[in-house]
Amino acid sequence: MSTELFFIYDTHCPWSYAATPLVEAIQSALPEVNINLWHSAHFCGENESKISKSQITTVKSLADISFSRQYLDSLSQAKDSTLCANLMTWAANKSPKQAFSLLKSLQEAHFGTGNELVDATSVDNIIAQLKLSPSSKVLKADKLTSDAEAQVHEIFALQEIIATEAIPALLLAIDDRLILLNHNFYLNDPSAFIDAVKLEITQSA
């Protein structure tokens, strides 16, 4: 039986930041589950890409995470995750064992220190710490790489199947069965999320 977890997210999405610990819990407790990190490139730097204070308040009320003062002070700025979409797609394909560590580092830099992650300089330290070697085209922020664009199209196709464009989305694929997990119930209880995933796996056995 093949079991995979698809995490559709955006590095600049606070809800994705809140859901990441659930993915980490599955990675630790159920190493047999293959985890796919799919960056949706949802934030493109336009006006509609801003995050509201009310969104942050709601996230904080449901999840045990915090946001730095630097990040909160930057909420008036439109968010642009193009570079991170390129970098994460590259890592998922070329360095999958380090991809999740990269995601956590990028999220911590963005939400924890207010780093907007919009140019190569802003991610230099993270790349060096993880000993990654992406090409210069991966670190461009003006457009998506062909791999990142292809990933986005795959996400669009999957969103049609699950009938939702909401991010983040956590999808459990057991052989040919696809289950959309209601992660909002578990943002403060990763252990309960592990139990829910185990139950789905058991029922499909």
Side-chain angles (χ1 to χ4, degrees):
M1 184 172 66
S2 172
T3 306
E4 299 184 81
L5 181 70
F6 291 84
F7 183 33
I8 300 175
Y9 69 96
D10 190 294
T11 46
H12 289 52
C13 167
W15 287 107
S16 296
Y17 181 42
T20 297
L22 300 182
V23 180
E24 185 170 26
I26 296 300
Q27 184 182 60
S28 177
L30 300 171
E32 68 274 17
V33 176
N34 184 46
I35 294 176
N36 301 279
L37 303 175
W38 284 15
H39 196 300
S40 67
H42 177 76
F43 291 101
C44 60
E46 302 296 336
N47 288 333
E48 61 267 28
S49 297
K50 293 180 180 177
I51 305 293
S52 68
K53 290 185 177 179
S54 62
Q55 285 178 284
I56 298 301
T57 299
T58 303
V59 174
K60 289 174 66 176
S61 71
L62 295 174
D64 185 22
I65 56 173
S66 60
F67 300 89
S68 69
R69 174 51 55 190
Q70 297 96 317
Y71 172 75
L72 296 175
D73 288 343
S74 73
L75 290 180
S76 61
Q77 301 177 29
K79 306 303 176 186
D80 189 338
S81 63
T82 305
L83 183 148
C84 287
N86 292 338
L87 182 57
M88 283 303 308
T89 303
W90 172 85
N93 291 331
K94 301 297 185 181
S95 189
K97 291 183 179 180
Q98 293 170 289
F100 192 69
S101 294
L102 175 60
L103 171 58
K104 291 195 299 177
S105 294
L106 292 172
Q107 288 178 323
E108 178 55 35
H110 185 59
F111 298 105
T113 70
N115 185 338
E116 291 298 320
L117 305 171
V118 292
D119 54 42
T121 302
S122 64
V123 297
D124 277 350
N125 288 340
I126 294 172
I127 290 172
Q129 288 171 0
L130 294 174
K131 298 180 180 179
L132 299 172
S133 55
S135 66
S136 57
K137 73 174 184 178
V138 171
L139 299 178
K140 289 186 176 180
D142 57 336
K143 66 177 182 179
L144 294 174
T145 62
S146 57
D147 286 344
E149 282 188 350
Q151 183 77 93
V152 169
H153 287 300
E154 286 190 63
I155 290 172
F156 287 160
L158 192 55
Q159 287 173 332
E160 287 189 11
I161 295 172
I162 62 177
T164 179
E165 296 180 1
I167 61 165
L170 284 166
L171 304 165
L172 188 65
I174 304 175
D175 290 335
D176 58 354
R177 182 177 172 225
L178 191 63
I179 305 137
L180 179 61
L181 301 168
N182 196 338
H183 61 276
N184 286 338
F185 290 152
Y186 308 103
L187 292 178
N188 259 329
D189 194 353
S191 62
F193 183 67
I194 293 170
D195 290 339
V197 171
K198 285 181 177 179
L199 180 61
E200 292 289 354
I201 294 173
T202 300
Q203 291 177 339
S204 298

